[in-house]
Amino acid sequence: MKLATLKTNGRDGKLVIVSRDLARIVDAQPIARTMQEAIERWGSVAPALRERYDALNAGSLPEARTFDPRQAAAPFPRAYQFVDASAFQNHGDIMEQAYKVTVKKTPGVPILIQRQADDLRGPHDDYPYLSEDDNGDFEGEFAVILDDVPMGADPAQALEHVKLVTIFNDVSMRAHLFRELSMGFGFIQAKPASAFAPVAVTPDELGEAWHDGRIHLDMQVERNGVWFGNPNGREMDFGFGELIAHLSYNRNLRAGTIIGSGTVSNKAYKEVGSACLAERRATELIDDGHSSTPFLRFGDRLRFEVKGIDGTSVFGAIDHCFVPAGGKVSQ
């Protein structure tokens, strides 16, 4: 099943059901008005949503209309909780090697950090930022959305609570990162709002690509229409089951919690490229002694997309332009 949130005058938008080929939509009302309402009542509303989804795919709903992803907000325009991980150890290893830093890690314990959840951006919204000196960066990531998870869930139990999957661009401002890391209390200015794909899907839509708590598909990334990378999600060192179990060790997780995978990164980066600028710049530093790829510039357009085993887009694309705050660059 595929779901999206359309922009409205309200902050939480309107829930719609999206056809498997992402071509058509139909309203989810009166089953559920918003994505948050649906996830909170998932056990009771999912069967009715799926029945309507099947009818949409069969072409038997005359009220169906064309899906314009430019009208989509993030699946959750705001969330009660958004936690990001650094579950691809290869990414961390590259950064540590390039910049000669050591991150204190405990074997078997994933790295997680609370993130901004009250302003999640849509897939085609211009992304304003204040200055190119902030060293803007992008990070292609997978994400899962949970229903209520009880405290103490083990990894297998945790995976049962993954109800939706999507992708996002975890925007970074690298100029602030090392300063905030050195303070020892987490990111603020280094990690502004993230931008999400137009569609969130139930795990069964991924078919065999969803197993062991990982998405075994390529994250296809372009900058200004040029290939940047297509690393695969299979190399997560901690699967989503382990991430959720760690997070829920001593707390309940409420419906609508979003958990990110961290930057998708593969050991064969020379062949498959990267999903973020910092990793590309770090590999250049390792290989060439200096970084040559520039950070984001006003007017840069980024595209993130994941295609399924059958070659069709799973979540739709994030396709957005970085612009100066208070202004707009011609697209």
Side-chain angles (χ1 to χ4, degrees):
M1 182 164 55
K2 299 192 175 188
L3 302 172
T5 296
L6 296 188
K7 299 173 184 176
T8 65
N9 292 332
R11 293 193 176 190
D12 297 306
K14 180 175 74 170
L15 180 65
V16 294
I17 303 165
V18 186
S19 61
R20 183 169 284 113
D21 62 3
L22 307 182
R24 307 284 285 170
I25 59 170
V26 68
D27 291 344
Q29 293 75 20
I31 303 168
R33 296 170 300 165
T34 67
M35 193 77 79
Q36 183 63 38
E37 181 182 330
I39 203 74
E40 288 179 359
R41 300 194 295 117
W42 192 259
S44 61
V45 304
L49 289 172
R50 183 166 294 278
E51 182 178 357
R52 198 153 169 77
Y53 175 66
D54 291 341
L56 176 63
N57 287 320
S60 59
L61 296 178
E63 67 271 34
R65 58 195 187 276
T66 301
F67 179 42
D68 180 0
R70 294 171 297 181
Q71 300 303 313
F76 287 81
R78 56 179 176 170
Y80 286 112
Q81 180 168 220
F82 174 25
V83 176
D84 201 14
S86 182
F88 290 86
Q89 186 60 54
N90 183 68
H91 176 73
D93 291 344
I94 289 171
M95 303 304 287
E96 289 185 45
Q97 180 183 354
Y99 297 106
K100 297 178 173 58
V101 296
T102 300
V103 177
K104 185 178 179 180
K105 296 182 286 289
T106 302
V109 177
I111 298 171
L112 294 163
I113 187 169
Q114 293 281 350
R115 292 293 310 282
Q116 177 187 357
D118 58 338
D119 181 26
L120 303 178
R121 307 291 175 84
H124 292 269
D125 298 339
D126 283 342
Y127 196 104
Y129 67 110
L130 290 170
S131 170
E132 291 180 344
D133 292 337
D134 285 324
N135 292 345
D137 195 357
F138 54 83
E139 297 184 53
E141 300 193 25
F142 292 101
V144 297
I145 297 103
L146 313 176
D147 67 357
D148 287 326
V149 181
M151 182 175 72
D154 65 31
Q157 294 167 336
L159 281 179
E160 295 177 2
H161 295 279
V162 174
K163 301 306 177 186
L164 296 167
V165 182
T166 190
I167 62 172
F168 68 101
N169 174 13
D170 180 33
V171 178
S172 298
M173 300 298 175
R174 298 291 179 185
H176 307 284
L177 190 140
F178 286 112
R179 169 178 56 82
E180 293 189 328
L181 274 178
S182 69
M183 296 168 71
F185 211 60
F187 302 124
I188 295 294
Q189 291 182 340
K191 290 290 186 178
S194 297
F196 282 73
V199 174
V201 312
T202 49
D204 61 285
E205 291 289 332
L206 302 174
E208 294 180 0
W210 171 254
H211 62 91
D212 59 15
R214 295 163 174 82
I215 296 95
H216 294 240
L217 295 171
D218 291 348
M219 172 73 68
Q220 300 181 12
V221 183
E222 295 180 1
R223 181 185 188 180
N224 296 324
V226 178
W227 174 87
F228 197 87
N230 58 281
N232 193 286
R234 62 177 170 262
E235 289 188 27
M236 283 178 75
D237 291 88
F238 294 94
F240 279 110
E242 296 163 290
L243 298 179
I244 299 164
H246 181 78
L247 185 60
S248 66
Y249 169 74
N250 58 0
R251 69 196 70 192
N252 298 310
L253 306 180
R254 293 309 184 191
T257 293
I258 301 171
I259 299 183
S261 66
T263 305
V264 182
S265 179
N266 290 171
K267 293 179 176 61
Y269 64 84
K270 292 185 178 181
E271 289 76 37
V272 303
S274 298
C276 85
L277 286 171
E279 183 171 302
R280 169 73 65 83
R281 288 173 56 85
T283 59
E284 291 169 343
L285 183 60
I286 293 168
D287 295 341
D288 306 326
H290 66 278
S291 299
S292 55
T293 298
F295 286 110
L296 290 175
R297 298 287 183 258
F298 292 140
D300 277 357
R301 177 170 289 282
L302 303 175
R303 182 180 177 89
F304 305 81
E305 190 170 23
V306 171
K307 294 186 177 180
I309 296 171
D310 63 358
T312 62
S313 184
V314 179
F315 313 101
I318 302 168
D319 190 338
H320 60 168
C321 187
F322 278 66
V323 301
K328 187 172 183 178
V329 171
S330 176
Q331 300 178 36

